[in-house]
Amino acid sequence: MSEGDVKPTAPVVAEAHNVDTYHVPKAFFEKHPNKKPHIDGLDQYKKMYKESIEEPDKFWGNMARELITWDRDFQTVHSGSLEGGDNAWFLEGRLNASYNCVDRHAIKNPDKPAIIYEGDEAGEGRIITYGELLREVCKLAWVLKEMGVRKGDTVALYLPMIPEAVIAFLACTRIGAVHSVIFAGFSSDSLRDRIIDAQSKVVITTDEGKRGGKVIGTKKLVDEALKQCPDVAHCLVFKRTGAEVPWTEKRDLWWHDEMEKYPSYIAPESMSSEDPLFLLYTSGSTGKPKGVMHTTAGYLLGAAATGKYVFDIHDSDRFFCGGDVGWITGHTYVVYAPLMLGVATVVFEGTPAYPDFSRYWDTVEKHKITQFYVAPTALRLLKRAGDHHVKHQMEHLRVLGSVGEPIAAEVWKWYFEIVGKENAHVVDTYWQTETGSHVITPLGGVTPTKPGSASLPFFGIEPAIVDPVSGKEIHGNDVEGVLAFKKPWPSMARTVWRAHKRYMDTYLNVYKGLYFTGDGAGRDHEGYYWIRGRVDDVVNVSGHRLSTAEVEAALIEHQAVAEAAVVGVSDELTGQAVNAFVSIKEGNEINDALKKELVLQVRKSIGPFAAPKMIYIVPDLPKTRSGKIMRRILRKIVAGEEDQLGDTSTLSDPSVVDVIIEEVQSKKKK
């Protein structure tokens, strides 16, 4: 979506009614520690949801007092409005995030596992208890304080998936510092831009990182970035591999040396509910990263409430989110949700394919994981690898989560049948960096689900389907448009760091009085929501507006297709034409007959107007290291703008881009 006053347009397609509805499997209740989830069925959800919309102050006030330990109680649940962009929650309240995530559980049971660390190599790893976590967090908080970090300062974290990343999050929050986590796959230029924008004075990193058997030179990348960051006073380095790394005396300090100097307890800083908790940079459509800012109490409540009800987390559970802490999924569901609820969280350093495609399932079996949460990208990869890799019963699994993009029905069914053995409940969650926590989602053990649908709104979320041209809400069911929310909720981002006008123009001024998600959506005949993907990811073919996500889902339905990405290309005849990039499963012959089958598949699934004009069969798609397909790169390649691709070094496999360019150019010559 372009920022400013541009009104987006949305796909107009009708959802078929003959979608299977899956009810909660009986085995879910049989293996449940309490024999039932926190919410006793759909009727109780509807009753609670009604209260959250009609009496939000009462609803959220009660939930905040139940799930958060306060230094001082709040008096005002909410003030402000979407129109004014001045929302604030739990005013007058005071609390500390690290106390809520660590101390209160360590006091109750210091020997309870808090972090289950699975190293990159299958034999590596350890378990850290809440008591140990408290001591480590306190020592690091002392270190940061001695470095001159004060309440309100930002600290940049550039760390791989190791327990020290979680410790760094919590040490910052303990002293009231604002963490700005930068995904450890970003280039030095991206790192530099984020350090400068957030005005971070301290950076925490490792000598090197390990992922999928490969070594990543994190410290070298930090050094490169810091050449242009004169305000950074200190770089704290955790020794992950022990490799020799460049060193700048006085600025660079070893984690282990500093940690030995300080005591194992420091009192948590009392923070206001609306004090910033963290910044997280997302890609902006203008090219300049947006520092999305979340505040303390509202965000923590969103994390704890969705953890409790969406994943049905209970005291004895062991939670595995495969997201990286460099993204919002890792913030909310590796760190804050499980630790707020006092359960064990898995910190998984490796990849699902290393040393083989059983790694996730080995981890789930080994640690008796009860909830498992990953992106469809990973599921597609694992499905493609073959069912024989899912060799364990994984009988403790109760809830299987999906995050990051709409999940194709075929992948959903594989997840349910092969991974969950038809015994676990699948929750396909929809949310964003800016929402902080789930906004449209099934509730574990409660909501009947439909493969591909995010289902029903979470508490306090009142969705609206909006006509993209008139800006008017479209009422009733069986409708399509763009997705917006009518009410503020506690975990929503408050601003873009030092760019409030940008925040307003991107989210709150597009449709006055509504929060605009930037996604197209449909509401079916039963009121279930279907997310169509970004509204700028649309192709207009002869006046038919098509969601690229929908065309991709149609292609993936073909048994030979592993992954697909669709982009629109200018076309003299139809305005735009559909171009599809497809990777094929091993064992399938690549020929013209297969391409014809794929075109027919889309015609059959959506209609003749949606048929791809061109299909490029490629070995892989350009993806970030978090698995996001970079359609922008594909659009530029087909438009002949290969010289304007920007920095491709952050892709998981940059060499794929050259292969795709060669394929596109050879087709154009024919």
Side-chain angles (χ1 to χ4, degrees):
M1 188 191 68
S2 54
E3 291 159 14
D5 55 3
V6 179
K7 292 278 192 284
T9 51
V12 181
V13 285
E15 190 57 51
H17 285 187
N18 58 353
V19 176
D20 293 335
T21 299
Y22 287 72
H23 292 272
V24 184
K26 281 183 184 170
F28 172 93
F29 302 102
E30 289 163 6
K31 65 172 77 172
H32 199 289
N34 298 356
K35 300 302 172 196
K36 62 173 189 175
H38 291 292
I39 293 177
D40 196 11
L42 204 55
D43 287 343
Q44 192 187 347
Y45 155 74
K46 287 175 180 172
K47 186 182 169 193
M48 289 173 70
Y49 178 73
K50 186 169 185 269
E51 184 191 17
S52 76
I53 299 301
E54 293 177 0
E55 299 178 84
D57 284 11
K58 178 186 170 189
F59 180 88
W60 288 120
N62 289 340
M63 197 161 279
R65 290 188 177 103
E66 177 201 333
L67 295 174
I68 294 173
T69 300
W70 297 88
D71 300 343
R72 187 172 80 202
D73 195 17
F74 53 90
Q75 308 301 311
T76 308
V77 173
H78 173 253
S79 74
S81 66
L82 291 175
E83 204 159 4
D86 55 350
N87 290 285
W89 289 83
F90 313 115
L91 282 77
E92 306 91 29
R94 298 194 73 83
L95 72 162
N96 181 275
S98 82
Y99 181 89
N100 273 275
C101 289
V102 190
D103 301 49
R104 59 181 182 164
H105 312 306
I107 292 162
K108 188 176 161 190
N109 184 357
D111 298 327
K112 186 176 185 182
I115 294 172
I116 297 168
Y117 168 49
E118 268 291 316
D120 191 47
E121 299 298 334
E124 287 184 328
R126 61 189 191 276
I127 291 177
I128 297 168
T129 66
Y130 273 99
E132 289 167 333
L133 182 60
L134 176 58
R135 292 190 285 277
E136 293 297 299
V137 167
C138 285
K139 285 181 184 177
L140 185 57
W142 273 110
V143 171
L144 292 173
K145 258 199 148 168
E146 290 299 311
M147 284 180 171
V149 177
R150 297 289 173 261
K151 181 176 171 177
D153 289 350
T154 65
V155 176
L157 312 184
Y158 188 71
L159 291 160
M161 285 293 290
I162 54 176
E164 287 68 27
V166 181
I167 291 163
F169 272 68
L170 298 166
C172 290
T173 66
R174 195 163 193 87
I175 60 173
V178 180
H179 56 73
S180 171
V181 182
I182 298 134
F183 173 56
F186 271 127
S187 66
S188 57
D189 286 357
S190 300
L191 174 61
R192 173 200 66 208
D193 294 346
R194 286 155 174 80
I195 290 170
I196 291 169
D197 191 73
Q199 299 171 318
S200 303
K201 304 277 195 308
V202 169
V203 178
I204 305 179
T205 191
T206 52
D207 51 359
E208 292 179 323
K210 289 184 77 177
R211 194 164 186 270
K214 294 174 182 164
V215 172
I216 301 143
T218 42
K219 177 64 165 60
K220 282 179 185 167
L221 287 159
V222 169
D223 280 357
E224 193 60 36
L226 294 188
K227 285 177 184 174
Q228 292 169 283
C229 300
D231 294 340
V232 171
H234 292 294
C235 178
L236 186 68
V237 187
F238 177 77
K239 196 174 277 189
R240 171 63 186 90
T241 65
E244 277 195 35
V245 289
W247 204 255
T248 302
E249 286 302 325
K250 294 189 178 172
R251 184 196 73 187
D252 296 349
L253 301 163
W254 284 114
W255 172 297
H256 58 277
D257 287 344
E258 298 307 305
M259 293 282 274
E260 287 174 356
K261 297 176 182 176
Y262 301 107
S264 303
Y265 183 79
I266 188 171
E269 186 82 36
S270 185
M271 304 298 287
S272 161
S273 294
E274 281 295 309
D275 278 338
L277 182 69
F278 66 85
L279 303 182
L280 185 53
Y281 284 84
T282 69
S283 310
S285 54
T286 63
K288 181 177 162 55
K290 298 193 297 269
V292 173
M293 192 269 272
H294 280 285
T295 57
T296 305
Y299 171 81
L300 291 177
L301 180 59
T306 52
K308 179 176 178 177
Y309 294 112
V310 175
F311 293 115
D312 186 45
I313 292 178
H314 284 71
D315 200 48
S316 59
D317 285 343
R318 293 175 159 222
F319 189 88
F320 183 174
C321 169
D324 192 286
V325 291
W327 309 111
I328 191 66
T329 301
H331 278 58
T332 308
Y333 299 107
V334 172
V335 183
Y336 287 109
L339 296 181
M340 281 291 291
L341 297 169
V343 299
T345 183
V346 173
V347 172
F348 182 80
E349 187 178 29
T351 72
Y354 182 78
D356 57 44
F357 292 102
S358 303
R359 185 66 195 279
Y360 272 166
W361 320 130
D362 291 344
T363 303
V364 168
E365 181 75 5
K366 176 181 172 186
H367 297 294
K368 299 181 171 58
I369 300 303
T370 47
Q371 290 91 355
F372 179 72
Y373 191 39
V374 289
T377 309
L379 297 175
R380 288 194 297 267
L381 173 75
L382 295 166
K383 180 178 183 294
R384 181 184 186 177
D387 297 354
H388 60 284
H389 292 289
V390 192
K391 54 185 185 278
H392 303 294
Q393 277 305 306
M394 300 183 286
E395 59 194 32
H396 293 86
L397 272 181
R398 279 201 325 277
V399 179
L400 296 171
S402 168
V403 58
E405 60 180 289
I407 183 171
E410 179 205 1
V411 180
W412 192 104
K413 286 175 182 170
W414 176 84
Y415 201 21
F416 175 69
E417 291 166 5
I418 305 301
V419 178
K421 316 287 191 280
E422 301 189 17
N423 288 333
H425 195 193
V426 178
V427 294
D428 178 4
T429 63
Y430 169 72
W431 60 300
Q432 304 170 315
T433 301
E434 298 84 354
T435 70
S437 55
H438 304 141
V439 283
I440 299 179
T441 174
L443 303 186
V446 176
T447 315
T449 50
K450 302 178 184 185
S453 168
S455 78
L456 301 171
F458 190 68
F459 304 125
I461 302 296
E462 190 173 7
I465 302 287
V466 176
D467 181 290
V469 180
S470 69
K472 298 274 192 302
E473 183 180 357
I474 308 169
H475 296 279
N477 290 343
D478 269 329
V479 294
E480 293 274 341
V482 295
L483 181 64
F485 300 137
K486 293 156 82 168
K487 285 185 186 303
W489 62 99
S491 69
M492 69 183 291
R494 301 295 191 263
T495 192
V496 170
W497 191 245
R498 300 191 300 146
H500 193 66
K501 183 179 184 298
R502 190 178 184 189
Y503 168 79
M504 295 297 293
D505 288 346
T506 307
Y507 307 108
L508 303 182
N509 288 342
V510 182
Y511 303 113
K512 254 328 188 189
L514 299 174
Y515 169 90
F516 174 53
T517 65
D519 286 308
R523 187 166 53 225
D524 72 14
H525 63 297
E526 291 182 305
Y528 275 52
Y529 289 86
W530 299 74
I531 308 303
R532 306 292 184 209
R534 303 299 297 172
V535 290
D536 51 0
D537 281 347
V538 282
V539 187
N540 191 338
V541 182
S542 304
H544 297 286
R545 298 198 63 80
L546 280 167
S547 160
T548 55
E550 196 186 30
V551 182
E552 289 163 8
L555 288 163
I556 288 168
E557 282 172 26
H558 192 285
Q559 54 82 26
V561 174
E563 287 193 301
V566 165
V567 296
V569 183
S570 294
D571 187 273
E572 284 179 28
L573 191 62
T574 58
Q576 276 190 307
V578 173
N579 276 214
F581 292 81
V582 175
S583 65
I584 300 300
K585 294 175 186 170
E586 280 178 22
N588 288 282
E589 198 173 328
I590 297 168
N591 50 33
D592 288 342
L594 175 61
K595 290 184 183 178
K596 280 179 186 166
E597 279 181 37
L598 296 178
V599 171
L600 287 170
Q601 176 79 35
V602 177
R603 289 173 70 101
K604 178 169 140 293
S605 190
I606 303 171
F609 60 89
K613 184 174 182 181
M614 184 67 78
I615 291 180
Y616 300 102
I617 293 178
V618 294
D620 200 359
L621 299 169
K623 282 178 282 210
T624 64
R625 289 174 197 176
S626 67
K628 183 180 177 183
I629 296 168
M630 296 299 285
R631 292 169 185 82
R632 175 183 61 78
I633 288 174
L634 298 174
R635 273 195 289 268
K636 286 194 179 292
I637 291 171
V638 290
E641 298 170 1
E642 299 90 346
D643 57 338
Q644 297 172 39
L645 297 181
D647 180 14
T648 58
S649 67
T650 60
L651 297 177
S652 59
D653 182 4
S655 67
V656 164
V657 174
D658 295 328
V659 177
I660 294 170
I661 290 171
E662 202 174 304
E663 173 69 8
V664 171
Q665 288 177 343
S666 70
K667 286 282 184 296
K668 283 181 179 174
K669 285 172 187 168
K670 285 181 182 176

